[in-house]
Amino acid sequence: MGSLLSMLRGSSNGSSGSSSKLIRDAQSSARFSKQFDEFIYNLGDQRNAEYVKETFPEGDRVLRTGRELLEKVGRYEDGSNEVRMAISQPTPENEAAAWQKIGPSVALLRECFDFAQSVEGVIPQVLNELCNHANDEDAGRSDRNRGLARLLADLMQNAFAFDVLKSSIPAIQNDFSYYRRTLSRISKSQDTEIAKYCIPHDVSNQMSLFYAYHNPMVKAVVDSATQFAKDSSNEKAVLDCLSALAAGSLSTVKHRRADSPKSERMCVLVLVTCCVLYDWIAPHGVGSPQSTIDTKVIFDQIGDRMLVESTPAERVLRANCRTLR
């Protein structure tokens, strides 16, 4: 983590060794944030996005797919009327009409479920790059770490947005519940237009568990990051990385040093992302005295800044953390 911490420290006079000691100090979250007051974090720079596109095409592809799915979910077609009719008057005709209505919607939900699995595959790669290559000599002069930080935040923003949409469309749960309830019977249909929407039972069960959570996409990101930290036996490096990214972003927001409103918004998004991931990975959580992220200062800075679908950043943070409520 040496070079990454040096990069984030900017023009501070402390050595990388003292920064590492500062991170290890469980009681020093306030001093940790102060250590990075001079860092300027211009996440809105287009070079950051270009870096990801050129050197991490899989991450860029997943991000673009996520944005396309958000647009589709935003146009979700409610099948409540057809489902209600099929339940109250369960004739073959009404059931067929309900399935024809909810079939495309269920196919979309399957796409989103598959996408969540793609995200679970990308998150460890991003964290691995940030943690294991932070000692590169040119880490402070390239767009690499900023690009990866932006990708991590963009993926989390996509997850936030999906979960907000999902919670605002009750028909998603209702349509899928009806789908599962009638799957065994409808799967025997000779109507190819209906049969093509049938999903294997094991996948249907997994989807049911996925959509049962109030924040399924964020959970996919969090679970993936937590498992990576556990499997790599390098939990401390991951937490140090998240702390450093949060500190650099906090300094920019606090001192209004972003080069554009877009950069400032990205810094707020990085702050929220790092806090959420840290909260689930660290046994003590992000709001504890042992945390190296100063959530009190962060709450003071993000305030009611809008982050996702006109939802204040603080509300997004509290809704997705384990220990902050």
Side-chain angles (χ1 to χ4, degrees):
M1 292 298 296
S3 293
L4 177 59
L5 296 178
S6 297
M7 177 186 75
L8 293 172
R9 192 174 61 249
S11 61
S12 296
N13 294 325
S15 66
S16 60
S18 63
S19 294
S20 298
K21 181 180 179 181
L22 186 61
I23 292 175
R24 289 195 299 269
D25 186 349
Q27 305 298 325
S28 64
S29 60
R31 288 187 292 126
F32 176 84
S33 294
K34 185 177 181 180
Q35 180 79 355
F36 297 92
D37 275 351
E38 299 301 319
F39 184 68
I40 299 176
Y41 215 73
N42 297 323
L43 283 175
D45 194 316
Q46 185 59 29
R47 289 175 299 177
N48 302 323
E50 290 300 321
Y51 169 83
V52 171
K53 187 175 182 179
E54 294 173 6
T55 63
F56 197 175
E58 176 63 12
D60 182 66
R61 183 193 66 78
V62 170
L63 185 58
R64 285 187 287 106
T65 299
R67 288 168 175 165
E68 292 169 1
L69 286 176
L70 279 180
E71 293 182 5
K72 291 181 180 180
V73 175
R75 299 191 299 269
Y76 188 90
E77 294 191 12
D78 190 334
S80 298
N81 291 334
E82 289 78 5
V83 168
R84 191 179 302 112
M85 181 64 72
I87 292 175
S88 61
Q89 301 178 36
T91 64
E93 294 76 17
N94 286 342
E95 284 191 347
W99 262 70
Q100 288 172 348
K101 181 66 176 182
I102 69 173
S105 298
V106 171
L108 173 59
L109 296 181
R110 169 71 185 273
E111 278 189 77
C112 295
F113 173 73
D114 291 341
F115 169 74
Q117 294 181 311
S118 296
V119 172
E120 289 178 342
V122 166
I123 292 298
Q125 297 178 49
V126 176
L127 291 175
N128 185 64
E129 286 289 308
L130 281 170
C131 294
N132 292 343
H133 296 281
N135 291 321
D136 294 348
E137 288 300 319
D138 66 339
R141 298 188 295 274
S142 72
D143 306 307
R144 184 186 165 285
N145 286 313
R146 278 194 295 269
L148 290 170
R150 177 169 172 169
L151 174 60
L152 182 65
D154 278 337
L155 289 169
M156 185 62 97
Q157 181 185 37
N158 186 280
F160 290 148
F162 176 86
D163 291 346
V164 168
L165 267 178
K166 182 253 183 185
S167 64
S168 69
I169 308 175
I172 288 179
Q173 287 288 77
N174 297 335
D175 291 351
F176 193 66
S177 293
Y178 177 78
Y179 168 86
R180 294 194 71 224
R181 192 160 61 244
T182 58
L183 178 59
S184 296
R185 184 168 64 257
I186 294 296
S187 61
K188 301 173 184 177
S189 173
Q190 300 300 311
D191 188 335
T192 56
E193 286 301 308
I194 292 178
K196 70 180 182 181
Y197 294 120
C198 292
I199 297 173
H201 283 281
D202 59 332
V203 177
S204 175
N205 290 337
Q206 293 172 31
M207 288 175 61
S208 180
L209 293 174
F210 175 76
Y211 286 107
Y213 289 97
H214 76 281
N215 58 347
M217 202 64 75
V218 169
K219 185 177 185 299
V221 175
V222 165
D223 285 353
S224 179
T226 302
Q227 194 62 45
F228 167 75
K230 179 180 178 181
D231 291 346
S232 65
S233 300
N234 209 5
E235 179 182 288
K236 183 183 180 302
V238 176
L239 294 177
D240 285 355
C241 179
L242 294 173
S243 297
L245 291 173
S249 297
L250 176 60
S251 178
T252 299
V253 174
K254 182 178 179 181
H255 298 292
R256 300 183 180 181
R257 289 174 175 156
D259 65 345
S260 67
K262 182 178 181 180
S263 285
E264 184 170 87
R265 186 178 182 282
M266 285 302 303
C267 286
V268 172
L269 182 57
V270 169
L271 277 174
V272 174
T273 297
C274 290
C275 286
V276 171
L277 293 180
Y278 189 107
D279 191 59
W280 287 94
I281 294 173
H284 48 72
V286 73
S288 73
Q290 291 78 27
S291 172
T292 51
I293 294 182
D294 195 335
T295 53
K296 184 178 184 301
V297 175
I298 288 175
F299 281 136
D300 289 341
Q301 294 302 317
I302 64 176
D304 57 358
R305 295 169 187 260
M306 297 303 164
L307 193 63
V308 179
E309 297 293 327
S310 300
T311 304
E314 181 175 347
R315 188 184 303 173
V316 174
L317 177 54
R318 291 187 184 279
N320 290 284
C321 277
R322 173 173 58 94
T323 63
L324 294 178
R325 287 290 183 261

